[in-house]
Amino acid sequence: MKTLKELTRPNVWKLKPYSSARDEYNGAQASVFLDANENPYNKPYNRYPDPMQRDLKAMLGAVKGIDPRRIFLGNGSDEAIDLVFRAFCEPGKDNVVAIDPTYGMYQVCADVNDVEYRKVLLDSDFQFTAQSLLTVTDERTKLIFLCSPNNPTGNNLLRAEIEKVLNNFEGIVILDEAYNDFSEAPSFLSELDKYPHLIVLQTFSKAFGCAAIRLGMAFASEEIIGILSKIKYPYNVNELTQQQAIETLEDYDVILKWIEQLKEERGKLEKAFLALPSVEKVFPSDANFFLARVTDAVKIYNYLVGKGIIVRNRHTVSLCGNCLRVTVGTAEENRILLEAMKQFEE
Ligand code: PMP
């Protein structure tokens, strides 16, 4: 395994980060703040937020059972995805490896950062082998992206293969667990001590019901979190988001109820979909959505749009010909979708 210094871009490794007013003084004793050129009026919006989100991380650490120093928070997990490229990949020189199909932002961030993106096609069960990823790596492969449950396929990746990647890859493994709350597979969060080069991504956008506030989480060693924190914008998570996230965590039982409800609805919706004449296959899902192969994805997608119902057409995505990706909604939303699907005529 390479050292973190060997994996980090040299300019980032030696970077002295910007030090904000709130980095330099963050004590609770002071009452007169004249250090950040803020406006003294218009409370509570006049003050910069805590750049390190200490209160929120303390709560999250307690909920997730992890040391707050191993948590990075960003403007969605998308920020963390972009930052790992900026931290570890030399544009025009380094490369990354990912499964295909998977979440589209890994490739977009690779392209933005001018980093070669090497895709390895999943098999017909949407599974992969560690070996197939490892054989396309070379000296300049810095990152491997895995997403489990995977988007858009909905299934968990095989744990034994994920472990093989973690045990055999020299670089950093990003395991995106955005949908893990809906799955029976345990998170890799408890494995961070075992795998010092693992970054686990989770998000407030799915099970936590907070997509609007833009809050993503990265969990890793204190050293990796230190590198991501060093290169982020100073105040990357705004005050309203931090407050709302704390309120959401205070009501954690509600989240657990949503998860149970959505899993139950997923089961019902999958079963009902299977019985539809226009549906050829429903792929098993461990997420809050499922992929269904239909007779004509483009036609059905457009038909549903005409009825004011929007699903995701994945027809042009690798291995997803004639597939629609359906998010599980409320019982009422699912009923409306099913009703429309029943009325569809070829
Ligand atoms: N990872 C996966 C696998 C996703 O599907 C998504 C959103 N669709 C994200 C990350 C992005 O999450 P966020 O809203 O936290 O940026």
Side-chain angles (χ1 to χ4, degrees):
M1 189 176 282
K2 288 182 179 162
T3 64
L4 199 56
K5 186 176 180 188
E6 286 172 305
L7 291 167
T8 307
R9 290 170 69 190
N11 60 310
V12 169
W13 188 258
K14 57 176 194 260
L15 180 84
K16 191 175 175 299
Y18 174 73
S19 179
S20 69
R22 219 36 84 237
D23 280 316
E24 287 176 17
Y25 181 86
N26 57 57
Q29 297 89 340
S31 56
V32 179
F33 284 96
L34 302 175
D35 59 345
N37 300 344
E38 297 150 335
N39 187 327
Y41 307 112
N42 201 33
K43 285 189 169 71
Y45 305 112
N46 58 332
R47 298 296 177 194
Y48 282 105
D50 175 2
M52 294 313 291
Q53 312 100 23
R54 290 172 183 82
D55 292 347
L56 175 52
K57 282 182 184 169
M59 264 189 100
L60 203 53
V63 168
K64 298 274 179 189
I66 191 167
D67 184 333
R69 286 170 298 190
R70 298 179 127 195
I71 306 174
F72 169 86
L73 296 175
N75 187 333
S77 348
D78 287 345
E79 180 180 355
I81 294 166
D82 185 48
L83 286 184
V84 292
F85 282 98
R86 292 167 53 199
F88 302 113
C89 301
E90 286 286 359
K93 291 185 186 159
D94 290 334
N95 66 75
V96 305
V97 171
I99 53 171
D100 178 42
T102 193
Y103 179 46
M105 278 304 283
Y106 315 142
Q107 168 133 38
V108 171
C109 289
D111 292 346
V112 167
N113 288 287
D114 192 19
V115 171
E116 186 195 345
Y117 185 81
R118 300 183 176 177
K119 298 192 263 195
V120 176
L121 202 61
L122 295 174
D123 65 23
S124 55
D125 291 325
F126 299 140
Q127 283 301 346
F128 81 113
T129 61
Q131 198 48 44
S132 64
L133 294 187
L134 294 170
T135 46
V136 303
T137 63
D138 62 21
E139 255 310 288
R140 298 232 62 130
T141 307
K142 291 291 186 71
L143 314 173
I144 290 183
F145 283 90
L146 297 172
C147 183
S148 182
N150 191 26
N151 178 6
T153 58
N155 60 306
N156 279 324
L157 298 178
L158 294 169
R159 196 172 186 87
E161 294 303 315
I162 297 175
E163 283 166 354
K164 269 189 222 161
V165 173
L166 287 165
N167 283 320
N168 293 291
F169 179 50
E170 297 257 274
I172 287 174
V173 177
I174 294 107
L175 176 61
D176 191 338
E177 292 189 338
Y179 301 99
N180 177 263
D181 295 293
F182 303 104
S183 139
E184 305 310 314
S187 163
F188 269 79
L189 214 52
S190 51
E191 309 287 300
L192 285 178
D193 279 337
K194 198 163 158 196
Y195 303 114
H197 287 176
L198 167 64
I199 301 178
V200 173
L201 298 182
Q202 295 184 0
T203 178
F204 271 64
S205 299
K206 311 296 174 187
F208 286 30
C210 285
I213 73 172
R214 308 307 300 127
L215 188 62
M217 304 167 262
F219 304 95
S221 69
E222 216 180 313
E223 293 71 28
I224 290 180
I225 296 304
I227 290 171
L228 298 182
S229 301
K230 189 159 94 155
I231 63 173
K232 74 181 183 70
Y233 287 158
Y235 301 108
N236 63 327
V237 179
N238 73 65
E239 181 63 24
L240 301 180
T241 294
Q242 293 189 39
Q243 288 303 332
Q244 185 57 48
I246 287 171
E247 277 177 39
T248 301
L249 290 177
E250 280 166 353
D251 241 348
Y252 198 66
D253 284 353
V254 174
I255 297 171
L256 297 177
K257 265 187 220 146
W258 288 336
I259 293 169
E260 282 319 303
Q261 223 162 308
L262 288 168
K263 285 200 292 195
E264 199 183 316
E265 280 299 318
R266 175 183 74 199
K268 287 189 205 161
L269 193 58
E270 282 172 334
K271 206 164 152 211
F273 249 63
L274 263 178
L276 294 167
S278 54
V279 172
E280 291 178 352
K281 180 161 184 171
V282 173
F283 292 93
S285 168
D286 300 292
N288 66 333
F289 61 86
F290 60 86
L291 199 64
R293 179 156 285 133
V294 294
T295 45
D296 189 333
V298 175
K299 211 166 151 187
I300 296 175
Y301 173 80
N302 288 329
Y303 160 80
L304 289 172
V305 170
K307 298 234 164 205
I309 301 166
I310 315 301
V311 296
R312 199 90 198 267
N313 181 5
R314 299 285 76 189
H315 178 58
T316 57
V317 171
S318 313
L319 306 176
C320 297
N322 270 327
C323 285
L324 298 175
R325 195 192 70 191
V326 180
T327 307
V328 179
T330 62
E332 177 60 4
E333 288 170 327
N334 303 336
R335 188 193 62 75
I336 295 169
L337 168 66
L338 270 176
E339 210 43 54
M341 286 295 288
K342 279 181 197 157
Q343 285 165 17
F344 175 75
E345 282 168 21
E346 303 288 331

